[in-house]
């Protein structure tokens, strides 16, 4: 997983929905209640601890794993809970009201299986996919590079010698790239161009020839680690390749990118709801000239705009999710529409929420300060708004026969 935008330039990507299985409504309602209770209770305690220390402790990963929160979205055959995509989004919305690093862990682990599973052999499913779904092995998505974009122009390369690839090049902005067990890494065969020469490799974190630099000092999403990796002929078994030679970008972008964009969009809704909640609570308690701020029409209008903004984005996201599950040809365009709409909404809502708090909101003692910082990161995940607009326009051209 990276926090830099990814352009799906190159091969025409075929993205299909997973099984439409779902958890029975009564059981799902109990799960929603359980997650909500955790987010407002232990989740807030973790948030305070992370902000105070600047680190996400391993104990948090353990707690999330033991509660089953890292295996919710995957199908039962992989050890997951078998939620439908729309059900998963409902939980993503709740988790996103918590600390951004909590949301990041849950989002990433519940999503990387989508990239691996369609291309994995049965042996690879047992070695990589199921342990990842169970939360026993951490897999970091490694696509972004420092010297180019994030698509068919990747330059990290491999040379094959018998049953071994020798990996050279750099990756950066790799979320969980420091603490992971494997990098799910896209590279290309040395001398190749375009998507035809790309490969996807499960690279062990402790591979020789790899230098890992911790670049975790970010504006928000405190505690989530990010890595810059440099490879100098690092040996990777050919058996660790997912799919065939030429499938690298299909693995990295194919069945993973679209639902992940929708999931990130829903995380914007959850964080915006948290900002709105904080703003409303503050406005009802803050008294000026003997009246609460909620008596001021200017504040009423800001809160009303926020409420409408959040609901509009949420409904577009749910529409995109349903279209993807149904295998609609519009799913790709709708996923980008949802992501760019949700990100813009989140910016407006958190800005309004901070404004309602006045000067006090600028202090780190106010929760809205953290929410405001964390919201800015959403603009980069799974593609910037500029990338989303490119995708939407490209699909528009197709629909017009241009």
């Amino acid at each position: 997983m990276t926090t830099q935008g990814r352009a799906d330039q190159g091969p025409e990507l075929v993205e299909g929905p997973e099984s439409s299985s779902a958890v029975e409504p009564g059981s799902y309602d109990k799960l929603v209640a359980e997650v909500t209770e955790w987010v407002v209770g232990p989740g807030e305690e973790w948030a305070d601890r992370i902000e105070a220390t600047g680190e996400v402790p391993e104990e948090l990963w353990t707690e999330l794993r033991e509660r089953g929160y890292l295996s919710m979205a995957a199908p039962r055959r992989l050890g997951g809970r078998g939620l439908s995509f729309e059900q998963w989004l409902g939980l993503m919305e709740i988790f996103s009201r918590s600390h951004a690093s909590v949301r990041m862990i849950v989002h990433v682990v519940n999503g990387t299986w989508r990239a691996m599973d369609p291309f994995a052999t049965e042996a690879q499913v047992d070695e990589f996919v199921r342990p990842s779904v169970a939360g026993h092995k951490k897999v970091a998505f490694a696509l972004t590079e420092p010297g180019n974009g994030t698509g068919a122009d990747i330059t990290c390369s491999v040379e094959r010698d018998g049953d071994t690839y020798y990996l050279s090049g750099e990756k950066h902005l790799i979320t969980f790239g420091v603490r992971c067990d494997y990098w799910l890494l896209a590279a290309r065969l040395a001398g190749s161009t375009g998507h035809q020469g790309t490969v996807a490799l499960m690279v062990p974190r402790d591979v020789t020839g790899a230098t890992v630099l911790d670049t975790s000092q970010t504006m928000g999403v405190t505690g989530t680690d990010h890595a810059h990796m440099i490879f100098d002929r690092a040996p990777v078994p050919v058996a660790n390749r997912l799919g065939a030679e030429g499938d690298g970008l299909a693995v990295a972008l194919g069945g993973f990118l679209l639902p992940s964009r929708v999931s990130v969009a829903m995380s914007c809704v959850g964080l915006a709801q948290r900002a709105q909640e904080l703003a409303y609570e503050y406005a009802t308690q803050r008294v000026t000239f003997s009246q609460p701020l909620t008596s001021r029409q200017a504040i009423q209008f800001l809160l009303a705009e926020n409420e409408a903004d959040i609901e509009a984005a949420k409904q577009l996201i749910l529409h995109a999710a349903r279209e993807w599950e149904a295998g609609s040809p519009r799913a790709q365009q709708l996923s980008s529409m949802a992501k760019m709409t949700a990100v813009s909404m989140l910016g407006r809502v958190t800005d309004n929420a901070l404004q309602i708090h006045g000067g006090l909101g600028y202090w780190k003692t106010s929760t809205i300060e953290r929410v405001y910082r964390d919201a800015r990161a959403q603009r980069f995940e799974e593609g910037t708004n500029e990338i989303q607009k490119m995708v939407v326009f490209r699909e528009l051209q197709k629909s017009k026969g241009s």
Side-chain angles (χ1 to χ4, degrees), residues 227-242:
H228 183 136
M229 295 103 69
I230 303 169
F231 301 99
D232 182 9
R233 291 188 60 77
V236 183
V238 171
N240 284 24
R241 186 189 69 217
L242 294 172

Side-chain angles (χ1 to χ4, degrees), residues 72-93:
M72 290 179 157
R76 293 184 181 91
R77 64 179 174 81
L78 295 178
R81 294 208 183 188
L83 298 178
S84 71
F85 187 50
E86 189 172 343
Q87 286 178 329
W88 161 242
L89 290 180
L91 295 175
M92 185 78 264
E93 179 184 344

Side-chain angles (χ1 to χ4, degrees), residues 222-348:
T222 303
T224 291
D225 69 270
H226 302 278
H228 183 136
M229 295 103 69
I230 303 169
F231 301 99
D232 182 9
R233 291 188 60 77
V236 183
V238 171
N240 284 24
R241 186 189 69 217
L242 294 172
E245 292 183 347
D247 285 343
L249 286 185
V251 174
L253 304 176
F256 170 75
L257 183 60
L258 190 158
S260 190
R261 279 178 174 166
V262 179
S263 182
V264 170
M266 188 59 86
S267 77
C268 293
V269 168
L271 192 58
Q273 289 172 335
R274 179 63 171 142
Q276 175 78 333
E277 176 185 78
L278 292 168
Y280 184 81
E281 288 177 356
Y282 182 82
T284 58
Q285 296 166 9
R286 174 72 168 126
V287 175
T288 60
F289 300 99
S290 302
Q291 291 185 325
L293 290 184
T294 47
S295 69
R296 316 292 181 193
Q297 192 176 63
I299 301 300
Q300 294 171 3
F301 284 3
L302 288 179
L303 291 169
E305 289 167 5
N306 282 357
E307 199 73 5
D309 236 2
I310 293 169
E311 187 63 26
K314 180 175 179 177
Q315 294 308 316
L316 177 57
I317 294 162
L318 291 174
H319 177 51
R322 291 167 189 146
E323 289 294 286
W324 178 70
E325 283 199 294
S328 168
R330 293 202 65 209
Q332 181 142 306
Q333 185 183 47
L334 284 167
S335 73
S336 286
M337 287 179 180
K339 207 282 181 165
M340 71 187 226
T341 298
V343 164
S344 297
M345 173 277 295
L346 180 59
R348 291 189 296 270

Side-chain angles (χ1 to χ4, degrees), residues 94-140:
I94 298 168
F95 277 116
S96 301
R97 300 171 195 165
S98 185
H99 191 279
S101 282
V102 172
R103 190 277 304 177
M104 185 69 81
I105 295 170
V106 174
H107 166 70
V108 170
V109 180
N110 277 282
T112 47
W113 66 270
R114 298 183 197 276
M116 296 183 285
D117 183 50
F119 295 87
T121 64
E122 194 54 45
Q124 290 173 330
V125 167
D126 289 337
E127 185 175 2
F128 305 123
V129 185
R130 288 194 176 95
S132 172
V133 169
H136 295 303
K137 296 291 184 182
K138 300 181 181 70
V139 176

